[in-house]
């Protein structure tokens, strides 16, 4: 990613929960029972578990929206269990489902809320609002004065995140923040959060009941069972390859290998380039490029890539005026469209960022049916491509690893069984001897 941003340096803070407990009045068993957890500064931790297991209650005790009935909370080493909760909450960002924006306030007013409460000077607040809008990918000029109802669900959620981050808190709590948006928007918001976290290094605690979301986002995942008991607290890789018990494997579900597609990022599988042209280029130049594009071959796509009859390499990516992927042009397209750029080629519908997962990239490749997908930067500009072959190689690697794991597992089981029969045999033998 680019150079470090202007955000002040003390970023994330550690969070320690010690025997944290919540007993709601009138209920017998505690909703959260003596949770111990240590979270490092700058980590993104996901709480995942079935509905009602106490995720939300645990999260809300961290900013004392819910008062614990037992235990301690330390943030950045400081015991905040008895601190004034209002003061505490100003130091902790909080984002929830359906954004929680105030409907009668503009986007800018919503974002300015906490900086205003803590007494930032006006000019600093104003520039911070612009900075935050830009950070979450919303054009400040366009969105600044809008009301929440004038935004899509995904945009509202972005503003919700901008508001949570406005006063630059070291800790950000997120309670199923993307639960109410459609799957495609959710994917984008998740990618954005990953990118944001690369820049900001906050300590984030994120609650979800969606295990795939947990895998995609978490540095570590806490799989919680009833009363917030920790079934396993580990990296996504460790949980997928070594689930602690039947409860966790039940949560991981089938197809652990394919789930690992959610762990591999586009930036890790090999981004290559492809010939490009700009819509403003003279038509003749575009034709020339198109003519020469098939012959040179591109790094990473040598030879075997085309599964269909027409070679996948004899095409160029046409970029729009702002350098964003616009159309795939194949040889012959221009001829068929009688030299008209407007009618030629296939529009680009799906693109991915460097932080998107291999699963997202596969989906995009299938959506556009182009054999590859364009990779874009922060403002949607072209930065490269990932081709189908690269993606499929990474799928094969995962499946192979899974096959080996399964074999090893079977081997271990067999060994254990042999040993058991051995022991039983010995037991019988010694029993007989005694008799
Ligand atoms: P989750 O976020 O995992 O779905 P919650 O933390 O919301 O779970 O709830 C944990 C348990 O506490 C549930 O059994 C729920 O019914 C109970 N609970 C939550 N809020 C209250 C409340 N205000 N009063 C009484 N019980 C509650």
């Amino acid at each position: 990613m680019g150079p470090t941003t202007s955000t002040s340096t003390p970023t994330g803070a550690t969070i320690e929960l010690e025997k944290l407990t919540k007993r709601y009045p009138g209920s017998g068993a505690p909703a959260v029972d003596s949770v111990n957890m240590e979270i490092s500064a700058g980590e993104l931790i996901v709480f995942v578990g079935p509905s009602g297991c106490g995720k939300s209650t645990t999260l809300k005790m961290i900013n004392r929206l819910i008062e614990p009935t037992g235990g301690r909370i330390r943030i950045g080493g400081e015991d905040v269990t008895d601190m004034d909760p209002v003061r505490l909450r100003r130091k902790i960002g909080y984002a929830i489902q359906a954004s929680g924006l105030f409907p009668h306030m503009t986007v800018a007013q919503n974002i300015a809320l906490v900086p205003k409460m803590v007494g930032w000077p006006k000019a600093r607040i104003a520039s911070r609002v612009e900075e935050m809008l830009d950070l979450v990918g919303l054009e400040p000029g366009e969105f600044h004065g809008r009301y929440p109802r004038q935004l899509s669900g995904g945009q509202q959620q972005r503003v919700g995140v901008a508001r949570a981050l406005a006063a630059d808190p070291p800790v950000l709590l997120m309670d199923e923040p993307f639960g109410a948006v459609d799957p495609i928007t959710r994917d984008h918001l998740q990618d954005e959060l990953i990118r944001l976290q690369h820049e900001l290094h906050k300590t984030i605690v994120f609650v979800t009941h969606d295990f795939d979301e947990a895998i995609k986002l978490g540095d570590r995942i806490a799989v919680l069972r009833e009363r917030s008991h920790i079934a396993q607290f580990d990296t996504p890789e460790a949980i997928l390859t070594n689930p602690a018990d039947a409860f966790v494997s039940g949560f991981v579900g089938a197809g652990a290998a394919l789930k690992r597609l959610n762990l591999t990022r586009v930036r890790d599988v090999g981004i290559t380039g492809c010939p490009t042209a700009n819509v403003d280029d003279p038509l003749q130049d575009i034709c020339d490029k198109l003519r020469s594009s098939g012959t040179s071959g591109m790094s990473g796509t040598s030879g075997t890539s085309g599964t269909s009859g027409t070679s996948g390499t004899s095409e160029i990516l046409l970029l729009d005026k702002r350098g964003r992927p616009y159309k795939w042009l194949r040889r012959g397209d221009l001829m068929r469209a009688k030299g008209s750029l407007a009618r030629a080629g296939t529009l680009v519908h799906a693109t991915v960022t460097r932080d998107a997962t291999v699963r997202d990239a596969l989906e995009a490749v299938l959506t556009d049916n182009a054999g590859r997908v364009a990779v874009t930067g922060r403002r949607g500009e072209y930065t490269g491509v990932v081709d189908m072959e690269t993606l499929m190689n990474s799928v094969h690697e995962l499946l192979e690893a899974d096959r080996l794991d399964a074999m090893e597992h079977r081997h271990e089981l067999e060994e254990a069984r042999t040993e058991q029969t051995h022991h039983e045999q010995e037991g019988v033998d010694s029993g007989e001897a005694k008799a």
Side-chain angles (χ1 to χ4, degrees):
M1 192 124 287
T4 44
T5 52
S6 61
T7 339
S8 45
T9 26
T11 47
T14 55
I15 303 175
E16 294 156 77
L17 309 181
E18 190 191 310
K19 294 188 181 153
L20 195 63
T21 299
K22 178 67 185 181
R23 200 180 282 276
Y24 285 109
S27 51
V32 173
D33 181 22
S34 199
V35 171
N36 292 302
M37 187 177 281
E38 284 186 20
I39 298 172
S40 309
E43 260 193 309
L44 198 164
I45 297 297
V46 182
F47 290 173
V48 67
S51 175
C53 73
K55 305 179 288 292
S56 216
T57 304
T58 309
L59 187 82
K60 286 179 187 153
M61 283 196 281
I62 298 175
N63 65 0
R64 308 238 322 279
L65 269 172
I66 292 178
E67 284 296 344
T69 40
R72 315 294 314 166
I73 307 151
R74 272 181 288 274
I75 294 181
E78 182 191 3
D79 193 325
V80 297
T81 329
D82 303 310
M83 182 182 178
D84 169 23
V86 177
R87 249 188 67 219
L88 174 67
R89 282 200 280 280
R90 287 178 187 166
K91 297 208 284 185
I92 298 181
Y94 184 53
I96 57 174
Q97 193 174 110
S99 79
L101 298 175
F102 290 110
H104 58 284
M105 290 184 182
T106 63
V107 163
Q109 287 166 335
N110 266 290
I111 297 174
L113 217 58
V114 182
K116 217 166 160 181
M117 279 195 281
V118 294
W120 286 21
K122 262 202 176 123
R124 185 173 170 209
I125 296 178
S127 74
R128 184 67 178 172
V129 167
E130 310 297 288
E131 190 189 340
M132 286 297 101
L133 279 171
D134 188 55
L135 182 74
V136 297
L138 295 174
E139 183 62 44
E142 192 182 336
F143 288 95
H144 185 107
R146 289 209 202 168
Y147 286 91
R149 69 185 137 75
Q150 297 167 316
L151 306 175
S152 72
Q155 290 164 344
Q156 288 184 23
Q157 217 58 58
R158 282 165 205 263
V159 176
V161 172
R163 184 177 67 174
L165 289 170
D168 204 14
V171 171
L172 178 59
L173 307 180
M174 307 184 84
D175 197 352
E176 300 234 19
F178 311 146
V181 293
D182 64 88
I184 292 173
T185 310
R186 189 180 316 145
D187 260 346
H188 283 199
L189 290 169
Q190 290 165 347
D191 293 342
E192 287 278 295
L193 181 64
I194 293 166
R195 179 187 60 72
L196 233 135
Q197 177 65 347
H198 271 300
E199 287 184 31
L200 302 181
H201 307 288
K202 300 287 178 190
T203 307
I204 302 180
V205 186
F206 187 107
V207 163
T208 181
H209 60 268
D210 175 356
F211 191 69
D212 291 328
E213 182 165 68
I215 293 174
K216 185 170 168 184
L217 295 178
D219 293 320
R220 285 193 293 161
I221 301 174
V223 183
L224 303 179
R225 47 161 43 114
E226 71 288 352
R227 276 174 259 152
S228 241
H229 285 164
I230 300 172
Q232 190 165 7
F233 185 28
D234 214 328
T235 60
E237 286 89 346
I239 291 177
L240 283 174
T241 43
N242 270 319
D245 57 19
F247 176 84
V248 178
S249 4
F251 229 87
V252 171
L258 290 180
K259 283 191 180 162
R260 287 213 292 276
L261 287 177
N262 280 332
L263 284 175
T264 318
R265 310 272 165 206
V266 163
R267 64 180 130 80
D268 303 324
V269 297
I271 299 173
T272 57
C274 73
T276 60
N278 202 284
V279 272
D280 289 339
D281 290 349
L283 201 58
Q284 191 53 49
D285 290 6
I286 298 179
C287 287
D288 291 347
K289 260 192 200 159
L290 208 45
R291 213 164 293 130
S292 58
S293 68
T295 49
S296 58
M298 279 159 284
S299 47
T301 58
S302 50
T304 51
S305 68
T307 42
S308 57
T310 55
S311 161
T313 55
S314 58
E315 61 184 356
I316 61 172
L317 181 61
L318 200 59
L319 308 178
D320 71 8
K321 288 187 187 3
R322 288 158 75 176
R324 297 175 303 194
Y326 170 48
K327 268 181 184 182
W328 288 106
L329 282 181
R330 294 193 177 83
R331 230 187 286 183
D333 277 352
L334 274 175
M335 250 195 301
R336 265 188 299 272
K338 302 199 174 66
S340 149
L341 258 189
R343 268 173 289 161
T346 322
L347 283 177
V348 173
H349 291 292
T351 59
V352 293
T353 64
R354 291 166 49 80
D355 293 324
T357 63
V358 166
R359 212 197 78 180
D360 295 336
L362 274 170
E363 255 171 39
V365 168
L366 296 175
T367 306
D368 269 7
N369 202 15
R372 68 188 66 168
V373 57
V375 183
T376 53
R378 182 133 171 220
R379 290 185 174 76
E381 77 281 8
Y382 164 84
T383 58
V385 293
V386 188
D387 60 72
M388 188 67 168
E389 194 190 6
T390 309
L391 295 171
M392 286 318 289
N393 283 343
S394 109
V395 172
H396 284 147
E397 272 169 31
L398 288 175
L399 288 173
E400 187 58 18
D402 229 33
R403 212 174 53 81
L404 291 176
D405 272 359
M407 266 165 59
E408 207 167 286
H409 188 63
R410 211 175 308 139
H411 193 68
E412 275 168 16
L413 273 179
E414 268 161 21
E415 267 181 1
R417 218 172 287 140
T418 323
E419 209 160 287
Q420 200 184 351
T421 358
H422 204 72
H423 279 310
E424 279 166 8
Q425 196 56 44
E426 275 175 356
V428 171
D429 289 350
S430 62
E432 274 173 355
K434 261 181 225 146

